[in-house]
Every structure is written in structure tokens, then in C-alpha cells.
Amino acid sequence: MPSACALLYLPFLAPLVAAQLTPSVTYSPPASTAGVVASTSSPNAQWSTVLGNALWFYDAQRSGRLDAGTYGNRVAWRNDSALDDGSDWGIDLTGGWYDAGDYIKATFPLGFTLFALAWGGLTYGGGYDATNQTAYLDGTLRWGFDWLMKAHPSDGTLFAQVGDTDLDNDYWGNDQGIPTPRPAYPVNSSFPGTDLFASTASAFAIASLVYTPGFSWNTTSTSSPPSAIDNATYASLLLSHAKSLYQSAVSFTPYATFSDTVPATAEAYASSGYGDDLVLGALALAVATNDSMYYADAYDFYVNQSVSGSQEVWNWDSRIPAAYVLFAETATARPGLAADAGLAVNLTGWQAEAEAYFDRIVNQDLHEGYVTNGGLLYYNGDSDEASLNPAIAAASLMFRYAPLASSSNKTISYQSFAQGQIDYLMGKNPMNVPFMVGQHPNSPQNPHSAMASGADNVTDIRNDPPTELYVLYGASVGGPLYNDKFWDWRDDWAQCEVALDYNANIPGLAAYMIMTNASDPYYVQVQVGTYTVPSGQPCDAALPCPSGLSTGAKVGIAVGVILAVLLVLALLLCWQRKRIRSWYRGRKFK
């Protein structure tokens, strides 16, 4: 019974540390027309806007009481919502973020999102400091991790999802009418979720480093977290959750994916395996604790779970490419971990693993991937419903790894390819669309977001209202199709939906651009008004084209088939008559 279960969850509920940073300057997104003005300042004003808007998007996705924390609600059209989450288990699961354009809360992709946000902050902290965004990074990380702490109320229990996927998909409206009930789905020793426990542990572990006083992830001379974000108490709390989650991942056997043991979660996010999550979870804890035991685990999982030589994308369901890069970073910054585990540091080997992965991308030598005519890295399957996500994730990994590459030529190659993907995101594409909402007048006007649409007509999502009521600044939409075409239609969730994980690498990339004094984002030179919705239909997962043929076509084919059959019969009859005549003549003259 929930009331009895609630007693088990008390130990982890109390210590939510509130010592957040307070923004010295309140950031509000500028109008999209500002996107055509070249930057003349340092730090670059346009990249500063990309960073500020990308973090603002996470505020727009908040659930629960929006004035919690050291700064109030920045999104005037959002309201407190879903204040009974967790009540079916007698605990508090309010807060956190809505996952995408709807209202479920999903832990598995959230782990990917928070890992990427924290990893970017750990390395590119100078970009946040230079733009006065450090307090907003702190607020964003804490909003996510404070909720994950609620979702991990005791050792051995982690909630995978809040909200019924089917009920949620049937609702289109604002945050005041979210349908109930909103059931919560946990994993535990009886219903294990190896992947969920391990991936969430990796996020907690990396984030603990962001808050550890004096920590420097010295993979390059400029790598460091923001200067004022350190908080030893919060770092310790994050690390304690990471250790507990990892212990559950490796102790609950047999290993299983959360979506197999809790099928109600599979419709939204079905996991394909757990090996990659075990590798990354152990490796992140090795770095966070400086404990070689975790490094030995990571290496054992790397070998035994057969993750070498992968061509998978980096996304919420595949953490392998991130592990390759983190192994190389660890060999550079923490070589003692391998030595203490009785293993070779093997920087050369980890470079070879990472570079084999990146070289296949750059050289377009992928089983399921290629570069579109317009220049976007595209994977059949993974890119079909969110084409920008794999490309931007790959760019993030390439920029991160490039300084560690085995040759200057590879460094240049990876940086060049990564820049091409960022340029595509920012408007250098056949559609002339910068794919971040509110960034430029050509940006998407109608992202698939129930909250931002301002409407409740589920039968006509595309046209009611004709244009989104609210601007969801900073949100990256799913992206164009394999042919580089983009339909800015609100009901096309494959191209226009927004999601936490779609944005996960953008703040770090923007901070990197600021730290390296990059030139303006490409959208500054995109001519206003040069995007138009393509003719025809997208024929994608959201709006598939009708299957089958028209009646006229079917009749034409039928007539053709009949004529072909008659022709064949006529030829056979002619051939048979000749055979009979030849046989008869032979008989006659014997």
C-alpha cells in the first residue's frame, strides 16, 4: 500500500540543498529579429543569446511549483502544475521537467540530458562565466537533479516515469488541464532496470564534479567548470546518489532493461540494452571518486558487453560513443585510475577506439549513416524522427575529443565536420531555417508543444491557432527529413516536436563557441523570408502518406495484367499448335 511504502522513502527525502546561485543579471530572450544583427562585442552577443535561450527552454519545460529556487519563474505563460505527482505512492514527485511537447516525466532520457548538460559545464565553464549564465546553469542542473533525488527516494528504488503515455497523448492543452491520474512507475529489485539505474548514476557522478570545489577536468588547458558554482555539500549529495544507483544496477540480477520489466514505460522510451549504460556508469563513478575499483568495472563491462567498434549514435538509448571519449579523457586527466586497477593507461588504444568511430562518420563509411545532400549527418532509423539530435550529439563529441586526437590533421578534420553540423543547425541548410525556435525570423514558428500552442483543439493541432501563441525560445525542434526538407507544421511531431534531450548538448556547444571566440552563428547571414513550407506531404512517421494505389491506378494495372495474360496465352497456343503440327507431320511420313 502507498502509505506503508512511503515509510521506506524517508531517508533520501530531506537533504535537498538550497544554496543555489542567484543571477546577477536577469536574462530574457530577445526578439527573433535580433538574430540578423552581427555581433560587435566580446563575448559574442549571438552565441551568448544561443546559450541563454537554450537554458531558458528548460525553464519553460518546468513542472511543479515554478518559483522554487533562487530565481522566480521566467516564463510568464507557464503555471504551477502536476502538484499531486507521486501521490499514488505516498511520496512527492512534483517538480522536474515535462519531457517533450507533452506532459509525461521520463527518467531515462533525463539521465542523458543531465549528463550532457553537466559534462558541458564541467569542460566549458568559462563560457557560462563570460555570459553571466552560470547561475542559470546551476538552476537548471539543480532543478533536474533535485527531482531525480525525489525519484530515487531510497536505495534500490528509482521511478522511471510519471504519467500515463496513452492518456497524455490524447490531451492537447495548457498546463492547467493535464489529465489525471498520473501514475508513477518504479524499478526495484523485483522489477529491475539495469540500464535506468546505471545511466542515472552516470549523470549524478559527472554532475558531482561540476560542484566539487577545486576540481579541474584538465583534458585541455582551458577545461574547467564555472568559477563560482562549487558547493561541497551538494557535490557530496549527488555522489551519494550515484553510488547507490550504481550499486542497484550491478546487484539486481538478472540484468534487464526497465522497459522490459515495466512495460507501461515502453511506449514512450523503449530501451534496447544495458551494456553501454553499465560502462558509462562505472567510468563516470571512477572519475568522480578516483576509485580504481569502478574503473576496473568499466573496463570489464567494456570487454564483456561487446561495446567496442560501435557505429551507434549518442542519444538517450545509446551511451557508447560518450564512453569512448570519456575513456580517452580519463587516460589523459586521470591515468592513475587504470594503473591502480592493474590495467594499462592505454591512451593510444582509447584514441584508436574514438578515432575509428569518428573517422567512419567523417569518411561516410557507416552501415546506416550518411551525410545528406544538404550536409546533415543522418542515420536511418535514429534520425527518422529527430534528425538533428544525432548530428548535434556527434558534433559535441567531436569538438570535445578533437584536442586529444592523435594528429593535428585529425583534430582539424573533426572540428571541421562538427562545425558543419552546427552551421546546418543554425541555418546553413537548403531550407534556410535556423532550427532553434525564436533565434531568427526564419526559425520554426510552430513547434509541437501543447503548452506553447495556446490551444486545446486536439482535432486540428496544425491550424488552431494558425501560429503558436507563445514563443518557446531556445528549443531545438526535431529537424528536417532525409531529403533536407522541413515542414513547419505543428502536428508533425517527427520534425517539429521539442524535447529535453534535443537541447542537451546545445548549451555546452554555445559555451565552447564563446570560449574559442568563434564568429557569429550562421543564422546572422540568413536572409529573412527565404523559408517556405515545401509542397506536397512529408510522408514521415507523424504524417505518413496513404498506402496503396488509387482506384484508377488499380484498374489500369488490372487491365494491363489481363492483356499480358492474354498475350502469354496466345503465344503459348501458337507455340503448342506448331508442336502439334510438327508431331503430326512426323507421324505422317514415317
Side-chain angles (χ1 to χ4, degrees):
M1 297 292 291
S3 58
C5 293
L7 297 176
L8 300 176
Y9 303 133
L10 292 177
F12 273 121
L13 288 179
L16 295 182
V17 181
Q20 284 184 226
L21 299 177
T22 301
S24 59
V25 177
T26 300
Y27 178 83
S28 296
S32 63
T33 52
V36 302
V37 180
S39 174
T40 58
S41 61
S42 181
N44 184 285
Q46 290 296 342
W47 282 115
S48 299
T49 298
V50 172
L51 176 54
N53 286 3
L55 291 177
W56 188 93
F57 163 72
Y58 285 99
D59 280 14
Q61 293 293 113
R62 286 183 173 187
S63 176
R65 299 192 183 279
L66 303 185
D67 282 327
T70 60
Y71 63 85
N73 175 25
R74 292 193 288 168
V75 186
W77 45 270
R78 285 299 321 286
N79 305 281
D80 293 350
S81 59
L83 299 180
D84 292 324
D85 282 359
S87 59
D88 53 329
W89 290 88
I91 63 171
D92 177 14
L93 290 177
T94 61
W97 290 303
Y98 297 121
D99 170 69
D102 46 24
Y103 293 102
I104 68 166
K105 292 188 278 193
T107 303
F108 196 46
L110 180 59
F112 167 84
T113 297
L114 286 169
F115 182 95
L117 285 169
W119 205 13
L122 183 65
T123 308
Y124 307 126
Y128 292 92
D129 286 340
T131 56
N132 295 311
Q133 290 293 328
T134 297
Y136 290 117
L137 172 65
D138 181 40
T140 300
L141 291 175
R142 286 175 183 261
W143 193 271
F145 282 109
D146 285 357
W147 183 81
L148 277 182
M149 291 180 198
K150 292 181 179 183
H152 181 226
S154 67
D155 290 328
T157 298
L158 177 62
F159 282 86
Q161 182 173 311
V162 177
D164 180 284
T165 304
D166 290 331
L167 189 64
D168 192 72
N169 286 341
D170 289 338
Y171 174 70
W172 186 261
N174 65 26
D175 55 17
Q176 297 301 281
I178 300 172
T180 56
R182 287 174 56 80
Y185 303 97
V187 293
N188 48 42
S189 58
S190 299
F191 299 93
T194 311
D195 47 353
L196 187 65
F197 281 119
S199 62
T200 310
S202 69
F204 271 106
I206 288 296
S208 73
L209 297 174
V210 177
Y211 289 94
T212 299
F215 183 84
S216 177
W217 190 228
N218 54 332
T219 54
T220 69
S221 59
T222 59
S223 297
S224 67
S227 59
I229 203 171
D230 58 297
N231 184 305
T233 305
Y234 198 62
S236 178
L237 184 58
L238 292 168
L239 189 56
S240 69
H241 278 273
K243 291 178 178 179
S244 173
L245 288 160
Y246 178 77
Q247 187 60 37
S248 296
V250 298
S251 299
F252 296 163
T253 55
Y255 291 163
T257 65
F258 77 97
S259 52
D260 281 344
T261 59
V262 187
T265 64
E267 184 176 346
Y269 291 97
S271 172
S272 62
Y274 47 75
D276 54 330
D277 304 294
L278 287 168
V279 173
L280 194 61
L283 185 57
L285 267 163
V287 175
T289 61
N290 205 29
D291 187 336
S292 61
M293 176 196 73
Y294 290 114
Y295 189 90
D297 280 0
Y299 185 78
D300 286 345
F301 287 131
Y302 167 80
V303 173
N304 296 325
Q305 295 294 325
S306 301
V307 300
S308 179
S310 172
Q311 295 187 28
E312 298 292 323
V313 303
W314 180 34
N315 64 13
W316 58 266
D317 190 38
S318 173
R319 321 294 169 106
I320 295 174
Y324 294 163
V325 174
L326 189 58
F327 266 121
E329 288 188 333
T330 304
T332 302
R334 294 289 184 272
L337 282 169
D340 291 345
L343 298 166
V345 175
N346 197 23
L347 173 59
T348 302
W350 296 121
Q351 286 174 319
E353 182 77 272
E355 290 172 15
Y357 178 80
F358 292 133
D359 288 347
R360 282 190 288 263
I361 293 175
V362 171
N363 298 328
Q364 298 193 53
D365 184 25
L366 296 165
H367 295 318
E368 294 295 333
Y370 58 93
V371 174
T372 67
N373 291 335
L376 179 67
L377 176 63
Y378 195 98
Y379 290 82
N380 293 325
D382 287 295
S383 300
D384 293 349
E385 297 178 11
S387 63
L388 292 170
N389 198 15
I392 300 310
S396 177
L397 291 176
M398 284 186 177
F399 277 131
R400 172 176 288 278
Y401 176 78
L404 305 179
S406 61
S407 71
S408 58
N409 285 340
K410 287 186 181 292
T411 296
I412 294 169
S413 173
Y414 301 152
Q415 290 175 335
S416 176
F417 188 92
Q419 187 63 54
Q421 301 309 296
I422 303 306
D423 288 346
Y424 191 104
L425 170 71
M426 295 298 173
K428 191 177 182 181
N429 55 67
M431 293 280 96
N432 295 313
V433 173
F435 288 105
M436 287 183 69
V437 178
Q439 213 68 42
H440 182 276
N442 286 19
S443 293
Q445 305 295 308
N446 292 291
H448 182 92
S449 167
M451 289 181 288
S453 72
D456 58 6
N457 184 1
V458 72
T459 64
D460 193 13
I461 293 174
R462 184 188 306 177
N463 301 304
D464 185 8
T467 301
E468 208 99 342
L469 186 60
Y470 305 112
V471 180
L472 195 56
Y473 289 102
S476 174
V477 297
L481 303 183
Y482 66 93
N483 55 13
D484 298 298
K485 292 184 178 181
F486 176 72
W487 278 259
D488 187 13
W489 288 348
R490 196 178 305 123
D491 56 341
D492 193 332
W493 50 262
Q495 296 186 73
C496 292
E497 189 159 17
V498 300
L500 301 178
D501 59 305
Y502 296 0
N503 263 58
N505 282 292
I506 294 176
L509 285 165
Y512 166 82
M513 295 296 178
I514 291 161
M515 289 179 62
T516 56
N517 297 311
S519 57
D520 282 341
Y522 187 85
Y523 61 71
V524 172
Q525 55 189 292
V526 173
Q527 185 177 346
V528 175
T530 51
Y531 166 73
T532 56
V533 174
S535 59
Q537 296 293 317
C539 298
D540 56 17
L543 299 171
C545 286
S547 59
L549 299 168
S550 67
T551 302
K554 291 178 180 178
V555 170
I557 290 175
V559 170
V561 169
I562 291 171
L563 290 174
V565 169
L566 290 174
L567 179 60
V568 170
L569 288 174
L571 291 172
L572 284 173
L573 180 60
C574 181
W575 175 70
Q576 195 68 12
R577 287 177 65 187
K578 288 181 178 179
R579 286 191 63 198
I580 293 172
R581 187 179 298 116
S582 177
W583 174 83
Y584 178 75
R585 288 175 177 171
R587 293 278 297 176
K588 181 177 180 180
F589 293 106
K590 276 186 177 180

